[in-house]
């Protein structure tokens, strides 16, 4: 393309742009004019529409207020509807559907709260009064339901069922309170420690949640005292009935004092059994159901449990107190120790069951009884030692055998050692010293008291030989019994050895006193020594002297045989030992005398009149000594 053409084309474009700009400006001016006119019209329209807009806003606000009123009305109507439905359930009562009944009470409470918070509503006071009255009626029916339900399912527990809850070792073998005693005290203690108890079902488990819910509603309604009275009266009565069925009665100190010992001893045995059943089964069961039913009502729970059990515990402990305060006697020591044992056994459980502040009186009463029993047992112990030493019974032991007092005291001490664990605990109630040493000291004193008494009784015998035989028999019985019992470990080998020597001393004294005189008959003063039968042996002895010697020997031996065959040495080993000791002295002397002087008599007139017995005859007759035979038995 040439330059002129290009310039022409550029000119044409410039013209087009100028024309377009001119048109745009014209349009712009026109638009500005139009828009200015439109703005004027809008201002006029806005002025004209303002009353309409005001009316529309009022309508919208009215609608919003209507919506709010409708929603409030719906809430109020819903509350009225819920109240009506709750009222219908309340009027039907709790029997048909307890769960719905409790829900209705909760709903009523919610309604009362709602109308209490919105008292500006018209007639809200009337509705509130109606709901409160209805709620009061509902709680009243609830009380009746709680009372009825608790009464229906609260029955005294039969003794047989309680016995089945005990471990086998504690179940009565024939009748209540009488259990087998085939095991030693130590074995029984071990069995008790390992014993498993199965608490009885006092109220069926399915009923407990219902009772709990009812109790909660009553407490929330402010009816705690009504709840307390209902629960206490029903459960306390049932517990007392259960114990009465077992045979638990309230006995005073006077009642106890008037009872024959056999009756009282049986009652004490029953009481021990009843205490274990009461604490481990019945009271433990009461604690469990009280905690479940009154869970969440802690202000009442402990008070209820305390008052439910108070009278029953009082009846049980009062019997123990009556025994502890009654007149002391030796035979009561073992039952006192049994009672002390059961209180010690139950002590930890009593502390746990009665740990609350409301139960402090029962807890302290149980502890006080334990200490009182310990004190009375210790005093009885002291009385026994004194009674042994001062025993003045006139029971005659004509044959020199073991005195009833000796066997009684030894058996008493044996029983004491069955209770040695208990005794050591008892000593520690009052003294911090070594309990083993204390028990050894007490036992030694009792043994010494017995020996002192026996020394006094031995002086009643006119025959000094019988005195020694009596003391020998009794001390031997004591030593033998100690050696065969647990007392040996406590008293020690030295004690045993010392008293064995005392037995031997009395045996030697018996031989000396009883046989010295007759042995003199077998000696001839002035006779030449020697054992031969020749003239040298008898040359200076007259036949008359020898005859008198044989005659006196026969008379004295027959008298000894007659008398001492009626005496008794009850221990066979001691009896044989004593006979042998006599024979070892008598027979060699008799044989020697007969050998030396017998020919003087045998060669004379009527030798059998003087030499009545051979050594074999004497030995046979010695074997009849100490058999406790009567004179008639000897003649046979």
């Amino acid at each position: 393309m040439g330059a002129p053409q290009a310039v022409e084309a550029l000119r044409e474009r410039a013209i087009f742009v100028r024309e377009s700009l001119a048109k745009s400006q014209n349009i712009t001016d026109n638009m500005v004019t139009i828009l200015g006119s439109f703005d004027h019209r809008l201002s006029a329209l806005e002025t004209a529409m303002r009353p309409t807009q005001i009316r529309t806003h009022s309508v919208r606000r009215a609608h919003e207020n209507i919506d709010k009123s409708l929603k409030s009305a719906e809430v109020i109507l819903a509350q009225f509807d819920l109240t009506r439905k709750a009222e219908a359930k309340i009027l039907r009562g709790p029997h048909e559907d307890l769960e719905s009944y409790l829900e209705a009470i909760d709903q009523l409470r919610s309604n009362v709260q709602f109308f209490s918070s919105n008292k500006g509503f018209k007639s809200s006071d009337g509705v509130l009064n109606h709901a409160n009255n209805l709620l009061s009626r509902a709680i009243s029916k609830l009380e009746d339901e709680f009372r009825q339900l608790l009464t229906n399912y609260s029955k005294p527990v039969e003794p047989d069922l309680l016995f089945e809850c005990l471990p086998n070792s504690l179940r009565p073998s024939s009748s209540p309170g009488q259990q087998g005693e085939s095991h030693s005290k130590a074995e029984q203690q071990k069995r008790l420690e390992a014993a498993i108890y199965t608490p009885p079902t006092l109220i069926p488990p399915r009923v407990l949640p219902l009772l709990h819910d009812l109790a909660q509603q009553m407490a929330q309604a402010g009816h705690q005292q009504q709840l307390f009275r209902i629960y206490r009266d029903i459960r306390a009565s049932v517990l007392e009935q259960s114990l009465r069925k077992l045979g638990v009665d309230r006995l005073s100190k006077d009642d106890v004092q008037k009872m024959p010992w056999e009756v009282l001893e049986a009652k004490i045995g029953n009481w021990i059994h009843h205490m274990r059943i009461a604490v481990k089964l019945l009271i433990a069961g009461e604690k469990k159901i009280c905690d479940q039913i009154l869970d969440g009502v802690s202000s009442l729970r402990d008070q209820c449990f305390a008052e439910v059990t108070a009278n029953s515990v009082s009846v049980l402990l009062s019997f123990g107190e009556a025994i502890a305060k009654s007149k002391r006697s030796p035979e009561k020591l073992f039952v006192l120790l049994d009672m002390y044992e059961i209180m010690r056994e139950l002590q930890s459980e009593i502390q746990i069951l009665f740990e609350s502040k409301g139960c402090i009186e029962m807890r302290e009463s149980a502890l006080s009884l334990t200490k009182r029993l310990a004190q009375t047992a210790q005093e009885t112990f002291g009385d026994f030692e004194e009674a042994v030493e001062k025993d003045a019974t006139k029971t005659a032991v004509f044959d020199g055998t073991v005195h009833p007092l000796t066997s009684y005291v030894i058996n008493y001490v044996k029983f004491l050692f069955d209770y040695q664990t208990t005794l050591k605990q008892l000593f520690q109630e009052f003294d911090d010293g070594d309990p083993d040493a204390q028990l050894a000291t007490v036992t030694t004193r009792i043994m010494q008291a017995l020996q002192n008494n026996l020394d006094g009784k031995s002086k009643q015998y006119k025959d000094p030989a019988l005195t020694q035989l009596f003391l020998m028999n009794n001390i031997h019985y004591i030593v033998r019994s100690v050696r065969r019992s647990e007392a040996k470990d406590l008293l020690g080998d030295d004690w045993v050895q010392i008293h064995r020597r005392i037995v031997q001393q009395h045996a030697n004294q018996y031989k000396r006193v009883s046989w010295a005189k007759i042995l003199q008959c077998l000696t001839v003063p002035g006779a030449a020594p020697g054992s031969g039968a020749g003239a040298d042996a008898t040359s200076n002895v007259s036949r008359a002297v020898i005859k008198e010697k044989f005659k006196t020997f026969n008379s004295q031996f027959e008298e000894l045989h007659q008398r001492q065959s009626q005496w008794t040495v009850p221990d066979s080993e001691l009896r044989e030992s004593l006979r042998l000791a006599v024979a070892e002295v008598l027979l060699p002397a008799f044989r020697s005398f007969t050998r030396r002087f017998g020919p003087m008599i045998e060669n004379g007139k009527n030798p059998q009149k003087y030499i009545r017995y051979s050594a074999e005859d004497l030995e046979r007759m010695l074997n009849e000594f100490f058999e406790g035979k009567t004179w008639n038995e000897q003649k046979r």
Side-chain angles (χ1 to χ4, degrees):
M1 180 180 292
Q5 290 177 332
V7 171
E8 186 63 30
L10 184 59
R11 186 182 294 115
E12 289 176 359
R13 285 186 179 183
I15 293 169
F16 178 77
V17 169
R18 189 170 54 251
E19 290 176 352
S20 296
L21 286 172
K23 288 181 181 179
S24 177
Q25 182 63 45
N26 188 34
I27 291 169
T28 299
D29 291 341
N30 290 334
M31 183 59 69
V32 167
T33 303
I34 291 169
L35 287 174
S37 173
F38 189 69
D39 182 56
H40 177 73
R41 290 179 183 179
L42 283 175
S43 295
L45 180 61
E46 183 180 1
T47 301
M49 287 291 294
R50 188 170 288 119
T52 304
Q53 287 175 338
I54 292 170
R55 285 196 300 273
T56 302
H57 180 68
S58 298
V59 170
R60 187 164 58 248
R61 287 187 62 187
H63 273 293
E64 288 174 355
N65 289 333
I66 290 169
D67 287 342
K68 286 181 181 178
S69 298
L70 287 173
K71 286 178 181 178
S72 296
E74 285 177 4
V75 171
I76 294 169
L77 289 171
Q79 290 294 326
F80 276 113
D81 189 49
L82 290 171
T83 302
R84 181 181 56 77
K85 289 178 179 178
E87 182 176 8
K89 291 179 181 179
I90 296 301
L91 293 176
R92 282 199 299 272
H95 297 295
E96 294 181 9
D97 187 349
L98 180 58
E99 187 175 351
S100 295
Y101 190 85
L102 295 176
E103 288 174 356
I105 291 176
D106 284 336
Q107 184 58 59
L108 272 180
R109 284 205 181 93
S110 177
N111 296 147
V112 168
Q113 186 177 4
F114 174 82
F115 287 111
S116 297
S117 302
N118 297 277
K119 288 191 174 181
F121 295 135
K122 187 178 180 181
S123 302
S124 62
D125 287 343
V127 173
L128 196 57
N129 289 336
H130 178 70
N132 276 321
N133 290 334
L134 193 58
L135 190 58
S136 178
R137 289 172 60 191
I139 297 300
S140 178
K141 287 186 177 182
L142 209 58
E143 282 182 26
D144 294 338
E145 181 67 12
F146 182 79
R147 182 185 290 104
Q148 190 64 43
L149 199 60
L150 190 60
T151 300
N152 289 344
Y153 289 100
S154 292
K155 304 298 179 186
V157 187
E158 295 297 325
D160 288 345
L161 180 58
L162 287 170
F163 298 149
E164 289 175 9
C165 296
L166 293 170
N168 289 333
S169 60
L170 291 174
R171 292 180 186 178
S173 54
S174 54
S175 60
Q178 304 295 319
Q179 64 192 58
E181 293 290 340
S182 58
H183 302 282
S184 73
K185 205 72 180 169
E187 288 174 334
Q188 287 177 37
Q189 195 61 38
K190 287 181 182 177
R191 292 166 73 94
L192 284 176
E193 289 171 2
I196 297 174
Y197 296 80
T198 309
T201 301
L202 301 183
I203 291 178
R206 63 183 175 80
V207 181
L208 290 172
L210 299 177
L211 290 168
H212 169 262
D213 291 344
L214 289 168
Q216 289 283 91
Q217 293 289 351
M218 290 171 67
Q220 288 176 24
H223 288 226
Q224 287 94 336
Q225 285 308 305
Q226 293 92 321
L227 171 62
F228 166 72
R229 284 195 295 272
I230 293 169
Y231 189 91
R232 177 200 61 193
D233 293 347
I234 293 172
R235 289 309 308 171
S237 173
V238 169
L239 177 58
E240 289 163 21
Q241 289 177 60
S242 296
L243 289 173
R244 276 198 297 273
K245 282 177 173 284
L246 270 177
V248 176
D249 295 311
R250 186 183 288 276
L251 294 173
S252 68
K253 181 182 173 183
D254 290 340
D255 295 330
V256 167
Q257 287 292 106
K258 292 174 185 175
M259 279 185 190
W261 169 242
E262 294 76 12
V263 175
L264 184 60
E265 188 176 24
K267 283 195 172 291
I268 291 171
N270 287 340
W271 179 83
I272 291 167
H273 203 47
H274 297 158
M275 278 297 297
R276 190 177 280 116
I277 289 174
V279 173
K280 289 183 176 286
L281 299 179
L282 289 173
I283 295 176
E286 287 296 339
K287 175 72 170 171
K288 185 177 179 181
I289 63 168
C290 186
D291 286 349
Q292 288 177 288
I293 293 173
L294 300 179
D295 181 36
V297 195
S298 55
S299 59
L300 281 186
R301 186 183 58 202
D302 294 338
Q303 186 185 3
C304 275
F305 175 71
E307 297 219 12
V308 163
T309 55
N311 189 56
S312 294
V313 170
S314 173
V315 170
L316 287 163
L317 296 183
S318 67
F319 178 80
E321 287 287 347
I323 297 296
K325 292 176 182 177
S326 64
K327 185 178 178 181
R328 298 193 301 270
S329 61
E331 66 270 14
K332 283 184 183 176
L333 177 59
F334 300 108
V335 295
L336 286 167
L337 292 175
D338 285 332
M339 294 171 75
Y340 175 71
E341 271 185 0
I342 190 63
M343 292 306 296
R344 288 275 305 186
E345 178 190 328
L346 299 175
Q347 189 169 325
S348 60
E349 282 163 284
I350 288 172
Q351 292 295 318
I352 293 169
L353 287 171
F354 301 115
E355 64 181 348
S356 69
K357 191 176 292 185
C359 296
I360 189 169
E361 185 176 343
M362 286 179 281
R363 192 168 67 246
E364 290 183 349
S365 294
L367 186 60
S368 172
L369 174 58
T370 305
K371 288 190 175 296
R372 185 61 184 262
L373 288 168
Q375 183 181 355
T376 306
Q378 190 178 53
E379 290 169 355
T380 305
F381 219 155
D383 292 347
F384 177 68
E385 180 188 334
E386 185 179 351
V388 169
E389 184 146 11
K390 294 182 177 179
D391 176 75
T393 53
K394 300 297 182 182
T395 304
V397 183
F398 297 112
D399 60 356
T401 190
V402 176
H403 197 279
L405 176 66
T406 304
S407 55
Y408 173 73
V409 171
I410 292 301
N411 286 333
Y412 201 91
V413 171
K414 283 181 180 177
F415 278 125
L416 282 178
F417 274 86
D418 280 343
Y419 288 88
Q420 60 177 306
T421 301
T422 305
L423 284 168
K424 290 172 188 176
Q425 291 173 338
L426 185 146
F427 292 144
Q428 289 177 310
E429 294 273 0
F430 309 100
D431 195 327
D432 295 332
D434 179 8
D436 285 319
Q438 288 176 283
L439 184 56
T441 300
V442 170
T443 307
T444 302
R445 287 206 309 261
I446 290 174
M447 293 299 191
Q448 189 57 54
L450 175 58
Q451 286 177 247
N452 294 342
N453 189 283
L454 291 172
D455 285 339
K457 283 182 167 48
S458 71
K459 292 178 172 58
Q460 298 173 358
Y461 297 108
K462 294 180 180 179
D463 189 330
L466 188 55
T467 295
Q468 298 302 322
L469 194 80
F470 171 79
L471 290 171
M472 179 197 72
N473 277 330
N474 282 270
I475 303 300
H476 178 269
Y477 180 84
I478 293 169
V479 172
R480 186 190 64 176
S481 300
V482 167
R483 288 177 64 195
R484 294 178 179 178
S485 74
E486 295 178 68
K488 178 179 180 293
D489 296 330
L490 212 60
L491 295 175
D493 288 331
D494 288 347
W495 187 94
V496 172
Q497 293 306 320
I498 288 169
H499 286 78
R500 288 181 73 177
R501 285 197 292 272
I502 292 173
V503 172
Q504 190 58 50
Q505 287 168 8
H506 287 303
N508 292 337
Q509 284 289 88
Y510 157 79
K511 285 191 299 181
R512 185 185 63 77
V513 171
S514 188
W515 295 94
K517 188 177 178 182
I518 195 171
L519 286 171
Q520 288 177 0
C521 298
L522 301 177
T523 61
V524 180
S531 58
D536 290 342
T538 60
S539 58
N540 59 346
V541 179
S542 70
R543 182 179 280 109
V545 170
I546 299 304
K547 283 183 178 180
E548 188 60 32
K549 288 282 184 181
F550 271 111
K551 188 176 179 182
T552 304
F553 175 85
N554 294 336
S555 173
Q556 289 187 7
F557 184 80
E558 286 167 0
E559 183 185 349
L560 285 171
H561 177 263
Q562 178 187 336
R563 190 167 358 111
Q564 295 195 22
S565 294
Q566 297 177 63
W567 295 358
T568 301
V569 177
D571 183 81
S572 59
E573 289 185 14
L574 182 60
R575 184 169 62 245
E576 289 305 315
S577 173
L578 194 60
R579 286 172 180 169
L580 182 59
V582 172
E584 286 175 346
V585 174
L586 179 67
L587 296 182
F590 180 79
R591 285 191 181 102
S592 175
F593 184 82
T594 304
R595 196 162 44 243
R596 292 178 67 196
F597 302 106
M600 294 176 63
I601 306 300
E602 290 169 354
N603 295 330
K605 191 177 180 181
N606 297 324
Q608 68 278 5
K609 180 180 177 181
Y610 302 101
I611 306 178
R612 293 184 187 176
Y613 305 106
S614 66
E616 289 71 22
D617 291 333
L618 295 180
E619 186 173 14
R620 176 183 54 77
M621 293 174 75
L622 280 176
N623 286 333
E624 295 176 352
F625 278 51
F626 320 126
E627 291 286 352
K629 293 182 178 179
T630 64
W631 175 237
N632 289 331
E633 287 175 322
Q634 291 179 51
K635 288 195 292 184
R636 291 197 204 104

